[in-house]
């Protein structure tokens, strides 16, 4: 049973790694697509922001990435709860050990 759970966890970890999630900021003017491993796949910036304030654009990019990262965290927790039967691990603990 433990081996089966470990196999399921590996499958879920692979699914999480391959999943792409999108974070947005500035009412959708900036979006960033990242994988479950936090690799940035795509950055989309609305043309209207290109000639705008550089500092504001940098803030919007950071906010979009943070939004995407939070979505990865929530997705990962939900997927791991599914495979572990609702058993939750303390933050920072990764399976398999």
């Amino acid at each position: 049973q433990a081996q089966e759970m470990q196999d399921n966890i590996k499958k879920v970890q692979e699914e999480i790694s391959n999943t792409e999630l999108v974070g947005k900021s500035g009412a959708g003017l900036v979006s960033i697509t990242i994988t479950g491993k936090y690799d940035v796949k795509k950055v989309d910036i609305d043309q209207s922001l290109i000639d705008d304030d550089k500092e504001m654009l940098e803030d919007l990019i950071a906010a979009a990435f943070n939004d995407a990262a939070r979505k990865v965290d929530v997705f990962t927790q939900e997927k791991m709860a599914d495979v572990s039967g609702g058993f939750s691990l303390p933050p920072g603990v990764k399976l398999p050990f």
Side-chain angles (χ1 to χ4, degrees):
Q1 227 175 6
Q3 181 63 42
E4 183 180 332
M5 184 176 179
Q6 189 172 14
D7 290 343
N8 288 338
I9 289 170
K10 285 182 182 180
K11 287 177 189 174
V12 168
Q13 286 176 327
E14 186 175 320
E15 179 185 350
I16 290 168
S17 295
N18 294 325
T19 298
E20 293 184 0
L21 296 154
V22 179
K24 296 183 180 188
S25 68
L29 294 174
V30 175
S31 66
I32 295 181
T33 303
I34 66 173
T35 68
K37 293 167 83 174
Y38 301 94
D39 293 330
V40 176
K41 290 296 195 174
K42 182 179 177 186
V43 176
D44 185 34
I45 301 170
D46 188 271
Q47 185 65 37
S48 67
L49 294 175
I50 300 300
D51 294 326
D52 219 344
D53 180 23
K54 178 183 180 284
E55 199 171 301
M56 181 185 70
L57 181 56
E58 291 169 346
D59 290 344
L60 289 171
I61 291 169
F65 179 82
N66 291 336
D67 182 49
R70 280 189 292 277
K71 289 179 180 180
V72 168
D73 291 342
V74 169
F75 180 76
T76 299
Q77 289 174 353
E78 289 172 354
K79 286 303 213 177
M80 293 308 283
D82 287 346
V83 76
S84 65
F87 173 74
S88 62
L89 297 172
V93 175
K94 304 226 183 228
L95 290 175
F97 299 105

